[in-house]
Amino acid sequence: MEEFVTNSALLAGHLTQQCDKAIADQKHAAAELRQAAADVGRGVAAGRAELAHSARSAVREALSQEIPAAVEAIAESGDRLRQLADQLQREHLSAASRMRALAWKSLIAIALASAAIIGATAYTAWNNVQRAQRAQVDAQVLEALQQVSITSCDGTPCVKLADDQRRWSKNSDYLLVDGSGAAPAPKAK
């Protein structure tokens, strides 16, 4: 039983370590996601700066050359910026859904592992109780057999008991054996 408790404690420690590792992995993934979002934000800022620079250049060019070409360059930059913003939004939604799925999977794994441990513990405890009860009955039978001589009488098994032994009240064919050495009770007939 002590070995079972020790094994259970080791298993619980191992599961705790696995849970802690899963939590650390989730935190690490969240940090990476925040870093990716920050990188995209910096990219957007750089894009905006580039767009502003392009817009200034385009205005200068338009003033010096033709205005329709400058308008087209600004429109293209705006489209790229919109596409970049849309991509950032899609990536953000995708990462959020992956984080939720990972969190649910972790919770389900922890719940299943806990249920398995509880079930195994209950089964082992029930099995140990059954074995203890069987061992107690076996010990009582062995103790009773020490009070009896079993031999063979002309090829037929026989038991040597004193005639004045106390009989079992429910079945008089059986003698009650008192290992304490007290004087036997009178025969029931």
Side-chain angles (χ1 to χ4, degrees):
M1 187 69 175
E2 289 178 15
E3 181 180 332
F4 170 73
V5 171
T6 302
N7 288 340
S8 296
L10 288 173
L11 181 58
H14 177 70
L15 287 175
T16 301
Q17 288 176 344
Q18 292 296 324
C19 291
D20 291 343
K21 184 179 181 284
I23 290 169
D25 289 343
Q26 287 179 357
K27 286 181 181 178
H28 180 68
E32 286 180 350
L33 180 61
R34 282 193 289 274
Q35 180 64 35
D39 291 343
V40 170
R42 284 191 292 274
V44 168
R48 285 182 186 160
E50 182 183 328
L51 177 62
H53 178 66
S54 295
R56 281 191 296 273
S57 297
V59 168
R60 269 190 240 119
E61 227 177 89
L63 292 174
S64 65
Q65 295 177 2
E66 43 184 88
I67 291 183
V71 170
E72 186 178 331
I74 292 172
E76 287 176 8
S77 295
D79 289 342
R80 281 188 298 189
L81 184 59
R82 257 187 258 110
Q83 289 172 353
L84 185 59
D86 291 342
Q87 181 182 358
L88 175 63
Q89 181 67 22
R90 284 191 302 271
E91 287 179 5
H92 178 69
L93 292 174
S94 174
S97 68
R98 283 185 291 200
M99 286 297 291
R100 281 192 299 274
L102 182 60
W104 279 108
K105 287 178 183 178
S106 296
L107 287 174
I108 289 170
I110 290 169
L112 290 175
S114 298
I117 289 171
I118 290 170
T121 302
Y123 173 75
T124 303
W126 175 80
N127 193 21
N128 286 341
V129 167
Q130 296 296 319
R131 286 174 46 200
Q133 289 173 345
R134 285 191 303 267
Q136 183 180 9
V137 169
D138 291 344
Q140 290 172 351
V141 168
L142 287 174
E143 185 179 323
L145 284 174
Q146 290 177 355
Q147 305 294 322
V148 175
S149 295
I150 299 174
T151 186
S152 175
C153 301
D154 293 331
T156 304
C158 60
V159 177
K160 180 181 177 186
L161 292 174
D163 288 336
D164 59 347
Q165 289 287 321
R166 200 166 35 119
R167 303 287 177 171
W168 186 26
S169 62
K170 293 181 182 177
N171 186 343
S172 62
D173 290 339
Y174 290 93
L175 297 175
L176 294 176
V177 178
D178 184 9
S180 65
K187 281 198 233 178
K189 292 191 180 184

